Amino acid sequence: MTHKIGVIAGDGIGPAITAAALAVVRATGVDVETVDFDLGADRYLRDGHVLDDAELEAIRGCDAILKGPLGPPIGDTRIPGGTIERGIILRLRFALDQYINLRPFTGKGLDFVVIRENTEGSYAGEGGFLRKGTPAEVATQGSVNTRMGVERCVRYAFELAQSRERRHLTLVHKTNVLTFAGDLWQRTFSEVAAEYPDVATAYNHVDAACIYLVEDPGRYDVIVTDNLFGDILTDLAGAVVGGVGLAGTGNLNPARNGPSMFEPVHGSAHDSVGTDRVNPTAAILSAAMMLDYLGEAETAGRITKAVQDVLSTNPVPAHIGSLVAERV
C-alpha cells in the first residue's frame, strides 16, 4: 500500500528535520508518496500567502500530514501575531476536525500520555475588542466548550486508558474557578466513567497538576484536559522527560474522514539552522506516530526503538537522523 503524505516542511530548522524524518520513513521500506505544500512564515514574507481553500482541499486528499515547526525568528515583528498560528495550524486542526491532540511522553523511567481537546476552548476564536486603541479598551476571549466536543475527547481518553496496562485516567481542569466550563467537563467525565468501570479515575486542578508533573510525574498514566491547559501541560511534560526536542505529537481525526497531522512540538529555532544542534528526534518520533496511525505499527515500533538506541549513545544531534535510518 502506498501512503499519500502531505508535507509542510516548516520554517527555520523545519526543512532539515522534516527531511530527516522522511529519510527514516523511506529507510524502513514503507511505500510513501509525498506532496509538498509551501506554507509558513518564509512563504508569508515572500508574498503574503497563508493557506488558501485550494491547498486545504488538496491536503484533505492526503492520508496524513507531516508538518515541521512554523514561525519567524524570535523577535521578528514583520508578521502580525497569530497570522501563522490561526491561518495555518489552527485552520488545519479545525477544518480537518483533528479534535484529539495526542502527546505520549516516555523517558527517565516515565510513560504517560496527555490527551488535549484540540478544537474548542480558548483557541476557538470567540471574543473581540471594544473601543480598541483607547484608554477604555476592552478585550474578551471566551472559552468554547460543547457537550459533543468534550464528550468525544473524554471518551477517546477512556478508550486509550482502558487499552493501557495501568488503566488510569486523570481529568485536569480548574473546576473551582471555571465553574461553567469546569462543570461541563466534570459532569461529562463522571458520566462517561460509568461506562468504563475497569478504568480508575482521578481529578487534579491544573495548578496542582503542574506541581505533580515536576515532583511526581510517575503518578500519571493518561491525562485528559482542555485545549489551553493541554497546551501548557504538554510543554511542561516535555521538559520533565528530557526536553520538548524529544516530543512528537499527533493531531488526530479519529473518525478518519480527514487526514491527521503529525508534528514536533518545538519551535523553528532559526538560530540553529546549519549547525550540529539541529535535532530531528521529535520529527522522527512524530513520523513514527504517523506510521502507526496509518496501520504500520511494526514499522513505527522499529523507528521508536532505533531512536532510543541512538539516543543512548549520546550522538551529535545533527547526526541522529542518519543514525536512526541505518538502524531501521
Side-chain angles (χ1 to χ4, degrees):
M1 178 182 295
T2 300
H3 304 293
K4 184 177 180 180
I5 309 300
V7 178
I8 303 172
D11 302 308
I13 64 171
I17 64 173
T18 303
L22 287 172
V24 169
V25 170
R26 292 191 171 100
T28 66
V30 171
D31 190 7
V32 296
E33 171 194 349
T34 59
V35 182
D36 294 323
F37 294 91
D38 182 14
L39 300 168
D42 290 343
R43 172 69 186 276
Y44 181 85
L45 290 172
R46 289 201 310 272
D47 58 16
H49 183 83
V50 185
L51 170 65
D52 62 30
D53 292 345
E55 287 165 327
L56 180 60
E57 286 308 304
I59 290 171
R60 195 186 298 275
C62 296
D63 298 317
I65 307 158
L66 185 64
K67 187 185 79 63
L70 301 180
I74 294 174
D76 189 326
T77 60
R78 292 176 293 170
I79 302 179
T83 299
I84 302 301
E85 295 82 358
R86 299 207 66 85
I88 300 176
I89 302 170
L90 294 185
R91 188 181 182 195
L92 286 170
R93 292 178 184 175
F94 297 163
L96 301 176
D97 203 21
Q98 297 167 351
Y99 65 85
I100 293 296
N101 184 277
L102 172 67
R103 293 191 181 176
F105 297 96
T106 57
K108 297 187 177 181
L110 300 171
D111 179 10
F112 63 95
V113 181
V114 179
I115 300 298
R116 163 189 169 191
E117 200 291 316
N118 213 29
T119 59
E120 296 189 345
S122 300
Y123 294 1
E126 191 277 330
F129 292 101
L130 295 174
R131 299 181 291 274
K132 186 175 182 181
T134 75
E137 181 172 347
V138 176
T140 63
Q141 191 81 57
S143 177
V144 177
N145 299 266
T146 69
R147 172 67 190 223
M148 181 196 76
V150 173
E151 181 172 341
R152 66 184 184 173
C153 178
V154 167
R155 193 171 294 280
Y156 183 94
F158 270 102
E159 289 286 337
L160 178 62
Q162 189 177 55
S163 72
R164 290 168 60 88
E165 183 178 354
R166 291 174 61 186
R167 295 188 178 183
H168 190 279
L169 178 61
T170 303
L171 170 64
V172 172
H173 211 279
K174 190 68 175 173
T175 56
N176 58 338
V177 176
L178 303 178
T179 52
F180 302 118
D183 182 72
L184 175 58
W185 274 87
Q186 184 68 75
R187 279 188 293 109
T188 304
F189 185 84
S190 298
E191 291 168 16
V192 175
E195 302 177 32
Y196 297 86
D198 54 339
V199 176
T201 62
Y203 171 80
N204 291 158
H205 289 324
V206 65
D207 43 353
C210 290
I211 295 171
Y212 297 146
L213 277 172
V214 173
E215 296 184 344
D216 183 25
R219 69 168 54 209
Y220 292 119
D221 180 24
V222 180
I223 293 172
V224 63
T225 189
D226 83 347
N227 208 338
L228 176 60
F229 294 149
D231 193 3
I232 297 166
L233 285 176
T234 50
D235 281 357
L236 175 58
V240 167
V241 300
V244 293
L246 304 178
T249 188
N251 302 280
L252 307 182
N253 175 334
R256 295 179 182 258
N257 54 17
S260 294
M261 180 167 64
F262 301 84
E263 59 183 337
V265 303
H266 58 70
S268 49
H270 288 258
D271 59 334
S272 294
V273 173
T275 74
D276 281 346
R277 300 194 305 274
V278 176
N279 189 334
T281 298
I284 294 170
L285 292 174
S286 297
M289 292 176 66
M290 178 183 73
L291 291 178
D292 185 64
Y293 165 83
L294 292 172
E296 305 282 358
E298 186 273 335
T299 301
R302 280 163 42 206
I303 293 175
T304 302
K305 175 65 164 55
V307 169
Q308 294 170 345
D309 291 344
V310 167
L311 291 179
S312 70
T313 66
N314 195 30
V316 173
H319 297 167
I320 290 173
S322 58
L323 293 171
V324 173
E326 291 173 0
R327 291 173 181 251
V328 296

